Amino acid sequence: MSKIKTYLLILLCVTIAYFGSLKYGFSQDDWYFLLISDAHNLSDVANFFNPLAQSGFAFFRPMGTQLYYFLFNQNPFFMHLFMLLIQSLSGYLVFRLLTELKLKSPTPLLVALSYSVSSVHFLSLYYIAATQQLLAAAFSLLSLIFFLKQNYWKSAIILILALLSKETAIVTPLIALGLMFVAKTKLTVRQFVPYAGVFILYVVMRLATSSGTQSEYHLFFGPSVLTNIRWYFLFAANFPETLVSYGLPRMGINIAKFISDYGTSALIITLSSSLIALFALTRLVISKRWLYAVWFVAGLGPIILLRDHLYPHYLDLALIPFLLLLFQDLKPKHQYVVAVFYILASFYSIQFSEGHHWTTGRAVMTQDALTRYDWEGICEHENVVFVGEGSAPRELSYALSLENGPRVICGISDLGVYYDGLHNTWPQGAYKVEVKP
């Protein structure tokens, strides 16, 4: 199959799997990113890449945040379309990467197709703010391909683009080291000089310019690391993120409650994903490809130490060795059976998440707020307070990212925004907006 046909096949599969994402608009962090991506001239755009001018943003991700939102000019449909194209490109790059490793057909293609439609990418494709993860993955994969082609300086330059998308790409040189063992290629210090230069400069820059981060990003060492590895292994097998809510002490999972709450859908997911996980674990023990287990953990990097920050989309680089365990060394006809089963399980898990994940729920809530409320009247006031019964105002505050959403919608940077139940007081005379469940 030609390169263009391979990409088009991957694009078709990604579109079928994630077509539903096209109907969702902005929510949550999107509003903050829209606010900090406002630019009126080239100088403002150039300032996106100034780590000292991040408008209070605790991270440095100009490619995946400010520049991205600026270029698409508040058009969520085309942003989602772009996300599908990037995911398809990543799938194709996985195919090229495995081809460079001299894996026999049909393994590269089937791993690439399974990677492209895996449910681990749900958040990255349904939540516009997570595009930074897609970009970082695509650039990291391209960097690894150039590394295997022995174009080390070009590989390092591409790594810079990955790091400007999201800092999770920092694990790329470590994965490159592992790939040298997989490919059984001679290792020299010279090969890693460009990577090392980029790594050191980036770490120094971040240490010199970064501000404090939220508690969920603080690293934890101890037994929680093993628990996290377990979660990510299950995510790779197409268990949805929702399962995290059913975690029990000592690495337990209340599967019975999960099935009880979601019925047949949860039962099907539990059976299919458990079979995939068990098969991968069995294959690891039988094949003794422990390097793939190391690659899996290395691909998650520092993320594996975040006890309170578990999201499947961090598996974008770690998913590859998991899939290799499923496919490599099997007879071609058996590989096709595994691929069909994995892809169908992915599709089902994606559909489940679309109906139950917080990002789709908040996107729907945002769209409802945009059409239900009189924003022309709201924007005429200096202060606005959203009031209502129960937790409705608080939930809306998450969807609109507190004051960021109304300020973007109104185009007023100093609009006072308050939510009943979240704020105890607000200015006298604030314009009240009734929030209904």
Side-chain angles (χ1 to χ4, degrees):
M1 185 181 295
S2 67
K3 294 178 180 179
I4 185 64
K5 288 182 179 179
T6 300
Y7 173 75
L8 290 177
L9 175 60
I10 293 173
L11 175 60
L12 176 62
C13 291
V14 170
T15 303
I16 293 173
Y18 286 103
F19 182 79
S21 65
L22 294 173
K23 65 185 178 185
Y24 293 96
F26 297 129
S27 69
Q28 202 161 306
D29 287 352
D30 290 320
W31 297 112
Y32 176 61
F33 291 161
L34 285 166
L35 204 63
I36 65 174
S37 65
D38 185 40
H40 304 284
N41 49 55
L42 288 178
S43 177
D44 289 341
V45 174
N47 217 29
F48 292 159
F49 295 85
N50 179 2
L52 298 175
Q54 289 303 297
S55 304
F57 189 25
F59 302 99
F60 185 58
R61 306 167 181 172
M63 289 281 290
T65 53
Q66 291 100 318
L67 183 63
Y68 175 58
Y69 281 82
F70 170 76
L71 291 176
F72 280 91
N73 194 26
Q74 300 190 30
N75 193 316
F77 175 80
F78 285 108
M79 295 175 89
H80 274 299
L81 199 60
F82 176 78
M83 293 157 73
L84 293 179
L85 293 174
I86 291 298
Q87 175 63 11
S88 303
L89 175 61
S90 290
Y92 177 71
L93 291 174
V94 169
F95 169 77
R96 292 295 303 274
L97 179 69
L98 299 184
T99 302
E100 288 295 326
L101 291 175
K102 304 296 190 295
L103 296 185
K104 296 180 180 179
S105 180
T107 302
L109 178 60
L110 295 182
V111 169
L113 288 172
S114 299
Y115 174 93
S116 301
V117 303
S118 174
S119 64
V120 306
H121 307 296
F122 177 84
L123 184 62
S124 293
L125 288 159
Y126 274 79
Y127 186 30
I128 297 175
T131 306
Q132 52 195 269
Q133 191 74 27
L134 293 175
L135 289 171
F139 284 126
S140 293
L141 289 167
L142 184 59
S143 177
L144 290 170
I145 291 171
F146 278 120
F147 187 87
L148 291 177
K149 288 179 173 291
Q150 301 182 9
N151 197 328
Y152 304 119
W153 284 104
K154 185 175 289 187
S155 179
I157 292 173
I158 300 298
L159 176 60
I160 293 174
L161 297 178
L163 290 169
L164 290 176
S165 299
K166 195 171 184 179
E167 62 279 352
T168 51
I170 200 71
V171 302
T172 304
L174 187 59
I175 294 176
L177 177 62
L179 291 180
M180 300 299 284
F181 286 102
V182 174
K184 298 179 181 179
T185 304
K186 182 180 179 181
L187 289 169
T188 65
V189 174
R190 182 181 65 86
Q191 295 168 326
F192 286 90
V193 169
Y195 265 159
V198 171
F199 180 90
I200 293 171
L201 288 175
Y202 182 78
V203 170
V204 170
M205 181 273 293
R206 289 303 306 272
L207 291 175
T209 61
S210 294
S211 56
T213 58
Q214 299 174 358
S215 59
E216 64 180 301
Y217 291 101
H218 291 167
L219 304 181
F220 292 90
F221 298 88
S224 62
V225 175
L226 294 177
T227 302
N228 286 358
I229 292 174
R230 183 275 312 272
W231 281 122
Y232 283 110
F233 187 82
L234 294 178
F235 291 154
N238 282 314
F239 270 107
E241 182 188 325
T242 306
L243 190 68
V244 174
S245 302
Y246 296 86
L248 296 172
R250 299 180 181 179
M251 295 184 68
I253 303 174
N254 195 342
I255 290 292
K257 184 68 164 59
F258 176 60
I259 295 173
S260 174
D261 287 348
Y262 295 104
T264 304
S265 296
L267 178 61
I268 294 174
I269 288 174
T270 298
L271 292 175
S272 60
S273 297
S274 295
L275 284 173
I276 293 170
L278 182 61
F279 185 63
L281 193 59
T282 302
R283 293 274 296 158
L284 174 62
V285 174
I286 293 175
S287 67
K288 297 181 180 180
R289 293 183 180 275
W290 304 112
L291 186 58
Y292 286 167
V294 174
W295 179 356
F296 182 85
V297 175
L300 291 164
I303 297 299
I304 207 73
L305 302 176
L306 296 178
R307 185 181 62 190
D308 304 318
H309 197 73
L310 288 165
Y311 296 110
H313 71 166
Y314 288 128
L315 279 159
D316 45 22
L317 296 180
L319 182 61
I320 301 171
F322 179 91
L323 293 173
L324 285 174
L325 285 173
L326 296 181
F327 291 99
Q328 197 169 355
D329 298 330
L330 289 179
K331 294 180 179 180
K333 62 180 180 180
H334 294 155
Q335 290 194 39
Y336 282 108
V337 172
V338 172
V340 169
F341 188 82
Y342 187 89
I343 291 172
L344 288 177
S346 298
F347 279 24
Y348 199 85
S349 186
I350 291 167
Q351 292 302 309
F352 175 87
S353 292
E354 185 172 352
H356 302 288
H357 198 275
W358 56 264
T359 189
T360 50
R362 289 174 184 172
V364 170
M365 188 181 300
T366 298
Q367 185 58 39
D368 181 64
L370 289 174
T371 55
R372 175 184 294 185
Y373 305 138
D374 176 20
W375 288 98
E376 186 174 344
I378 292 173
C379 298
E380 292 178 352
H381 297 80
E382 294 183 1
N383 297 289
V384 56
V385 55
F386 294 91
V387 298
E389 298 180 359
S391 62
R394 182 184 292 271
E395 291 299 319
L396 182 64
S397 75
Y398 298 144
L400 292 180
S401 184
L402 298 172
E403 70 277 2
N404 297 314
R407 286 179 178 179
V408 171
I409 296 167
C410 293
I412 303 173
S413 61
D414 59 351
L415 178 67
V417 183
Y418 305 87
Y419 296 88
D420 187 15
L422 189 65
H423 300 98
N424 295 323
T425 61
W426 45 82
Q428 187 176 6
Y431 184 72
K432 291 186 178 181
V433 178
E434 184 72 24
V435 180
K436 297 181 180 179

